[in-house]
Amino acid sequence: MQEQDRAKWAAAQGALQFVKDGMTVGLGTGSTAEKFVRLLAQKAADEHWQLSCVSTSKAIAALAQELGLTGEFTNPSLLHVDMTFDGADETDKAGNLVKGGGGALLREKLVALASDEVTIMVDESKHVEVLGRAFKLPVEIVPFGYQRTVKRLEALGAKAVLRCRQDQLFVTDNGNYIADCDFGGIANPAELAVQLKSITGVVESGIFAGIAKRIVTGRSDGTWTVQEL
C-alpha cells in the first residue's frame, strides 16, 4: 500500500470515532470518503447501528447501498443531517477548503450546509499555506451560454479550463460543467466565493469557507491528528 493511501485510511479511521448510533450521516465523495464509507459500513454491521445516510454523489450512493447502508439516497430532504464526513483537495490553517476534484462540489456543499457538523478527512499533502496555488479551483457552471460564463470567470482573474474526461466535456450528476480555475492563489476565500456566486451561470464554487468543524489528518504510519475549528 502506498504511503498516501495508508494516510487516507488513517484519516478515515480517525473520523470514524465521531459517528454515533442513530445518526443521520452525510457521506462525502472522493477516495478518502470512499474509504470512510467502507469502514462505516463494517462498523455499523458489527455494532448493529441504526444509521440514516445521505450521499453527495450517485457513485457514493451506489457504494453505500452495496455495502448495506440505508438512507435517503435518491432525493434527500436535507432537513437535518447530524454530521457529514468528506474529504478535501486542499485545506489552509483556518480550515477553509477547496473541494470538487471529484466533480461533486454542489451536492457536497448542499449536504455540508444541512449538517450540524462537518468532519473533513485529509492526508498531510492536502495542507497548504494558500488555497488555489497547487490545485485549480473547481467551479460548477450551467451548460447554457457557458462560453460567456467562462469569460466572466476570466474577468475575475482566473485561467479557466473546462474539465474533460476521455476527450469529452465532464458532466456532473446535476448535468452541469466544471470550469477548473487557476487564480494563482486565493488570498480571501470567503470573498472570492461571494464574487463567484454573483456570476449568473455559476451554480457553485469549490470554496468551502468556514464550513468545516474539524480536520482529521491521517499519516502514512497509520496515526492521525484532529484539529477542532
Side-chain angles (χ1 to χ4, degrees):
M1 187 185 299
Q2 295 180 349
E3 289 188 1
Q4 188 178 34
D5 204 47
R6 284 197 296 269
K8 290 179 178 182
W9 278 110
Q13 185 67 55
L16 196 62
Q17 67 184 297
F18 297 103
V19 185
K20 307 298 180 186
D21 186 20
M23 274 187 168
T24 297
V25 179
L27 305 177
T29 296
S31 58
T32 306
E34 178 182 324
K35 291 172 173 56
F36 173 80
V37 171
R38 294 184 183 279
L39 292 175
L40 178 66
Q42 187 62 57
K43 181 76 170 178
D46 292 345
E47 301 291 336
H48 304 289
W49 280 352
Q50 299 297 314
L51 302 175
S52 179
C53 298
V54 177
S55 63
T56 56
S57 67
K58 293 177 181 178
I60 285 296
L63 175 64
Q65 290 173 297
E66 176 187 329
L67 295 174
L69 294 170
T70 59
E72 294 181 280
F73 291 116
T74 303
N75 188 23
S77 64
L78 297 185
L79 293 178
H80 178 255
V81 180
D82 290 299
M83 192 177 299
T84 286
F85 297 83
D86 207 346
D89 299 298
E90 289 186 333
T91 177
D92 64 16
K93 291 181 179 179
N96 298 310
L97 315 170
V98 166
K99 291 177 49 56
L105 62 97
L106 174 59
R107 296 190 186 192
E108 287 174 334
K109 191 170 285 187
L110 283 167
V111 174
L113 291 175
S115 305
D116 289 344
E117 295 185 5
V118 176
T119 296
I120 296 296
M121 307 166 290
V122 296
D123 61 83
E124 292 176 297
S125 71
K126 303 302 192 294
H127 286 268
V128 298
E129 289 296 323
V130 179
L131 298 178
R133 282 182 178 168
F135 192 88
K136 296 178 178 62
L137 174 66
V139 179
E140 186 162 345
I141 65 175
V142 296
F144 187 85
Y146 73 87
Q147 296 94 335
R148 183 177 186 277
T149 305
V150 168
K151 291 293 185 184
R152 295 289 306 282
L153 293 171
E154 291 173 342
L156 280 181
K159 295 179 181 177
V161 177
L162 289 182
R163 186 177 299 181
C164 291
R165 293 282 165 83
Q166 298 178 339
D167 297 324
Q168 294 195 1
L169 288 175
F170 174 82
V171 179
T172 70
D173 285 349
N174 315 298
N176 297 317
Y177 296 157
I178 296 286
D180 290 309
C181 298
D182 184 356
F183 284 94
I186 302 171
N188 190 325
E191 180 180 321
L192 180 59
V194 172
Q195 291 176 318
L196 290 167
K197 282 297 290 283
S198 73
I199 297 175
T200 301
V202 168
V203 180
E204 190 53 81
S205 81
I207 296 174
F208 284 55
I211 291 176
K213 166 67 175 176
R214 66 181 57 85
I215 309 289
V216 181
T217 303
R219 300 193 183 99
S220 59
D221 64 0
T223 62
W224 61 81
T225 60
V226 178
Q227 176 190 3
E228 295 286 345
L229 300 165

